[in-house]
Amino acid sequence: MENYLFWLIPACSVTALVFAFVFFRGMIRESEGTDTMKLIASHVRKGAMAYLSQQYKVVIAVFVILLAVFSFLAYGLGVQNPWVPVAFLTGGFFSGLAGFIGMKTATYASARTANAARRSLNDGLQVAFRSGAVMGLVVVGLGLLDISLWYVILDNFADFTGSNKLVVITTTMLTFGMGASTQALFARVGGGIYTKAADVGADLVGKVEANIPEDDPRNPATIADNVGDNVGDVAGMGADLYESYCGSILATAALGASAFLANPEMQLKAVMAPMLIAAAGIVLSIIGIFTVRTKEGAGMKQLLSSLGFGVNISSVFIAAATFGILYALGFENWVGVSFSVIVGLVAGIIIGQSTEYYTSHSYNPTRKLAGSTATGPATVIISGIGLGMVSTAIPVVTIAVAIIMAFLCASGFSLENLGAGLYGIGIAAVGMLSTLGITLATDAYGPIADNAGGNAEMSRLEPEVRKRTDILDALGNTTAATGKGFAIGSAALTALALLASYIEEIKIGLLHIGTETIEVAGKVIKVSEATISDFMTYYSIDLMNPKVLIGVFIGAMMSFLFCGLTMNAVGRAAQKMVEEVRRQFREIKGILTGEGTPDYARCVEISTKGAQREMLLPSIFAIVTPVAIGLILGVAGVMGLLIGGLSSGFVLAVFMANAGGAWDNAKKYVEEGNFGGKGSENHKAAVVGDTVGDPFKDTSGPSLNILVKLMSMVSIVMAGVTCAYHLL
């Protein structure tokens, strides 16, 4: 039966891609509006494509170098699976493709959203949201298609001599996650630096110094700012969640293959289950997308409810479908494992609601933050940092409870059944990401609405249109913040599953270098039969081992070092942007009166070059550090590194994303006429707070979840090298 059910997986992935195409064609059929609106949209589109082409040149160069390294390890030293180099490339290719398609859609959708908003608020919402759904469906469609194709290839062509077939298939498939993670990190960091350099320059000089509105065509950085929204929040987010989605499914499949090693029939079911749950999630996400609509004159809470209804209806249906899928598979403890999936779904909803509460100006935390503008920018920054720190409590406690509940449900409420319990944690991550088709749509919707507002402002559309796009934009800020919180939460569960998968890859690595047995507590055990607990004992992975402690400290440091490098990168790029905007205001006659035309291309060029140059160092650190720790401290040091990076990275990412989102919406709340409104001293203080929050929420914060997973993926891919060559 499992063999027949398998073909539902590629079928559902193709269904997602078909609906993505349908939504794209529906959006293209909409009018872009006036000639001015079309011209502005074309500038943004060209800038976005120019940036991506430059970024992909850098990424291709990095991938070629890594491919050469992996090929040498696989075919030269024989310490790596020979399928890894090819799997690595496909992971990176599909991740980049998902981001590219999503961004192309977004750049075509912004003017059409603004034009639809001329008719009604609901029309604007429909165009923006369904365009965002293209990104959501492309990510899940390509991700599941990649997974199912590799499963078929390895099942039919790989050599499994002396090894368990499903263990080798799942651990090999897991390694293509490194390609996806590497591409995602470049997309997130590069896009984040690009967009925030432009945003900071546009805000500080345009709003604060020149006292002109946001997205005013007189501002030279405004096109670069709109381009940045697409390359950072669409292409970057798409690549990010592509690798989270694939990583959670593949890590769970690998854990299932290991946990049920003694029962081949159950082992196959455990490998199939996460893929089938994800496939059902695709269909139910599509249903949820069609339920999103609103009424004219709707406020923020009504709009949030509209989007929330679509997400929640998909979540309820996937919870019910999970019971049916696991029952149909004949899964042992199918009720308990189903509840593990529900734990992941509920955790995702709680984290999303918590993020919404702390970042939406419909609620007190952000309104109080807006009130702090009365005493200047310093109190805005202090209050925002405090809000961000407090906001970490609910997500951290939620993830902690989700981990123990998912473990217990899957293990039959036994802490001794480690393999089944870890499988439960992995499948909880799959549950959290199962409705990614619609949850990512709510996120990708944000930058489309933001660009629509920019187009409306630059095209001088009637005030009612700008009012509608502002409502959609403010909603987009909240959904983007919710999406980032969701991505970070899913990264925590996925990274925990990857920790367990790392041990499984160590097993494969030992077999590759010819180690058939290990000695644990005086007993000689075959490597192929050793459990995770056996390896933990063999490598002395405990808190009394100095190698583990050193790894924990370095892992914790990596989160702060990475944030520092990316924040400074934004600062340097933004300085150049500020200087350029000031220069143009000073030297190009008639800009501020509307008689002169700014040099938009120069600002786009500054952001592009700054992002390409600045993204390399933090990205290289993320790749090199796990390799170096593995070569020096061995397996124990790498485990410490991953634990330290996960714990510090998760909390820091939540803090930065929520603080940045709150600062942004506090500014929006002031701009709606509260605490003095636009142009007031309160507004200028809010803009400064938003400027500080920009790299928090759009560069460093969201990049941290990729850092955590990339370090795990690099460690998994280099496990054979760590086993064969380490100093201590």
Side-chain angles (χ1 to χ4, degrees):
M1 183 179 186
E2 290 82 10
N3 291 330
Y4 293 111
L5 287 174
F6 171 80
W7 295 106
L8 290 174
I9 299 166
C12 288
S13 66
V14 171
T15 300
L17 296 176
V18 168
F19 271 93
F21 180 74
V22 169
F23 289 146
F24 178 81
R25 293 296 302 167
M27 177 270 294
I28 288 293
R29 283 195 291 269
E30 292 279 339
S31 170
E32 276 195 295
T34 66
D35 289 341
T36 304
M37 293 170 74
K38 292 176 184 176
L39 180 63
I40 291 164
S42 71
H43 283 313
V44 173
R45 197 153 47 240
K46 287 175 185 174
M49 292 304 167
Y51 169 77
L52 269 197
S53 66
Q54 287 297 317
Q55 185 189 68
Y56 287 161
K57 288 177 185 176
V58 176
V59 172
I60 288 170
V62 172
F63 267 69
V64 168
I65 294 169
L66 291 174
L67 178 64
V69 172
F70 294 150
S71 299
F72 175 68
L73 295 175
Y75 311 124
L77 298 180
V79 295
Q80 201 169 71
N81 189 310
W83 290 91
V84 166
V86 185
F88 165 76
L89 282 182
T90 64
F93 173 77
F94 278 109
S95 176
L97 181 62
F100 174 81
I101 292 172
M103 197 202 68
K104 191 174 182 68
T105 303
T107 55
Y108 276 100
S110 57
R112 289 171 169 85
T113 299
N115 192 57
R118 298 169 79 185
R119 300 193 298 270
S120 72
L121 181 65
N122 183 56
D123 284 353
L125 175 67
Q126 291 287 331
V127 173
F129 182 71
R130 296 215 174 158
S131 300
V134 174
M135 165 63 91
L137 294 175
V138 162
V139 164
V140 296
L142 289 178
L144 212 51
L145 185 63
D146 196 13
I147 289 169
S148 53
L149 287 175
W150 266 109
Y151 185 87
V152 171
I153 291 168
L154 293 172
D155 189 37
N156 288 282
F157 300 107
D159 179 15
F160 305 105
T161 306
S163 302
N164 183 277
K165 181 178 180 178
L166 283 176
V167 170
V168 176
I169 287 177
T170 52
T171 51
T172 302
M173 288 168 65
L174 190 58
T175 59
F176 81 60
M178 183 186 166
S181 294
T182 304
Q183 159 60 28
L185 189 66
F186 278 108
R188 259 299 190 198
V189 174
I193 293 169
Y194 183 109
T195 183
K196 293 307 107 182
D199 203 356
V200 169
D203 281 357
L204 285 182
V205 185
K207 287 185 181 178
V208 177
E209 295 180 9
N211 202 27
I212 58 178
E214 186 169 7
D215 297 317
D216 193 293
R218 293 172 291 176
N219 193 329
T222 193
I223 293 292
D225 185 12
N226 280 269
V227 170
D229 290 335
N230 292 290
V231 299
D233 287 342
V234 179
M237 176 61 86
D240 176 0
L241 283 169
Y242 176 91
E243 58 107 15
S244 277
Y245 184 72
C246 292
S248 67
I249 296 169
L250 294 171
T252 306
L255 289 173
S258 171
F260 302 97
L261 195 61
N263 184 348
E265 184 183 351
M266 187 61 202
Q267 188 188 37
L268 179 59
K269 293 172 182 177
V271 169
M272 295 279 291
M275 301 181 197
L276 287 168
I277 291 168
I282 286 177
V283 176
L284 297 172
S285 290
I286 293 170
I287 293 171
I289 288 165
F290 280 104
T291 66
V292 174
R293 60 189 70 251
T294 192
K295 297 177 181 178
E296 190 61 34
M300 178 64 73
K301 285 191 174 179
Q302 288 86 356
L303 286 168
L304 282 170
S305 296
S306 299
L307 295 183
F309 180 78
V311 173
N312 292 337
I313 201 77
S314 298
S315 299
V316 169
F317 284 151
I318 193 63
T322 298
F323 283 91
I325 289 168
L326 295 179
Y327 176 77
L329 279 173
F331 206 94
E332 288 179 8
N333 188 24
W334 63 273
V335 174
V337 176
S338 296
F339 275 109
S340 292
V341 174
I342 291 173
V343 165
L345 277 166
V346 172
I349 291 170
I350 291 172
I351 291 172
Q353 292 298 311
S354 166
T355 305
E356 181 183 317
Y357 174 73
Y358 281 107
T359 60
S360 171
H361 62 50
S362 297
Y363 301 99
N364 280 333
T366 298
R367 291 189 174 190
K368 287 181 179 178
L369 179 60
S372 69
T373 58
T375 46
T379 49
V380 174
I381 293 167
I382 292 168
S383 299
I385 290 173
L387 182 154
M389 289 179 172
V390 169
S391 74
T392 62
I394 293 175
V396 170
V397 171
T398 299
I399 289 295
V401 172
I403 288 169
I404 191 63
M405 290 304 299
F407 186 101
L408 291 173
C409 288
S411 66
F413 287 84
S414 168
L415 292 173
E416 303 301 317
N417 193 353
L418 185 62
L422 290 172
Y423 182 78
I425 294 172
I427 210 160
V430 174
M432 186 181 284
L433 288 166
S434 60
T435 55
L436 187 63
I438 186 169
T439 51
L440 183 50
T442 64
D443 197 348
Y445 149 88
I448 294 171
D450 191 0
N451 269 217
N455 194 296
E457 180 69 37
M458 287 184 275
S459 303
R460 307 295 192 197
L461 298 183
E462 48 271 28
E464 182 61 28
V465 177
R466 180 66 203 206
K467 183 180 176 182
R468 289 170 183 159
T469 59
D470 278 348
I471 292 170
L472 295 175
D473 184 16
L475 174 65
N477 284 333
T478 300
T479 58
T482 303
K484 290 181 179 78
F486 182 82
I488 294 163
S490 66
L493 286 179
T494 301
L496 194 59
L498 290 173
L499 275 175
S501 298
Y502 174 64
I503 297 297
E504 290 305 313
E505 193 66 33
I506 289 295
K507 180 191 293 186
I508 303 295
L510 287 172
L511 293 172
H512 268 299
I513 63 173
T515 303
E516 299 291 336
T517 61
I518 57 174
E519 186 175 331
V520 179
K523 294 180 181 179
V524 176
I525 302 174
K526 286 185 178 181
V527 168
S528 59
E529 297 174 2
T531 65
I532 290 177
S533 298
D534 291 331
F535 283 110
M536 297 291 278
T537 303
Y538 177 69
Y539 285 110
S540 300
I541 301 173
D542 59 65
L543 291 178
M544 294 299 102
N545 186 342
K547 290 189 283 187
V548 175
L549 286 174
I550 292 168
V552 168
F553 278 116
I554 293 174
M557 174 210 71
M558 277 297 294
S559 299
F560 288 88
L561 177 64
F562 186 82
C563 283
L565 290 172
T566 50
M567 291 283 287
N568 284 334
V570 171
R572 286 190 293 271
Q575 275 184 301
K576 291 180 181 177
M577 186 65 71
V578 167
E579 290 167 2
E580 174 60 22
V581 175
R582 285 173 177 167
R583 182 195 69 79
Q584 292 199 33
F585 279 152
R586 188 173 58 248
E587 296 179 7
I588 299 178
K589 303 295 184 185
I591 285 186
L592 289 175
T593 60
E595 296 168 2
T597 303
D599 185 356
Y600 299 122
R602 176 61 185 150
C603 292
V604 170
E605 182 185 348
I606 287 173
S607 267
T608 301
K609 287 183 176 178
Q612 299 303 316
R613 184 174 56 253
E614 299 284 4
M615 74 180 181
L616 279 172
L617 184 60
S619 301
I620 289 170
F621 262 116
I623 295 170
V624 170
T625 301
V627 180
I629 293 297
L631 291 174
I632 297 169
L633 299 177
V635 174
V638 172
M639 285 295 284
L641 175 79
L642 299 182
I643 292 165
L646 171 58
S647 54
S648 66
F650 172 51
V651 180
L652 188 58
V654 173
F655 154 65
M656 298 186 87
N658 286 353
W663 272 317
D664 195 348
N665 275 331
K667 177 198 71 175
K668 287 282 190 297
Y669 189 63
V670 173
E671 288 176 345
E672 288 179 3
N674 303 289
F675 301 111
K678 288 184 180 181
S680 65
E681 290 302 313
N682 291 43
H683 183 224
K684 290 180 180 179
V687 169
V688 173
D690 178 39
T691 303
V692 174
D694 277 337
F696 268 50
K697 69 181 175 66
D698 291 327
T699 308
S700 300
S703 298
L704 277 171
N705 63 69
I706 307 176
L707 171 73
V708 168
K709 288 175 291 182
L710 179 59
M711 289 199 301
S712 300
M713 288 293 185
V714 172
S715 300
I716 288 170
V717 171
M718 301 301 288
V721 178
T722 303
C723 292
Y725 311 101
H726 57 89
L727 292 177
L728 301 175

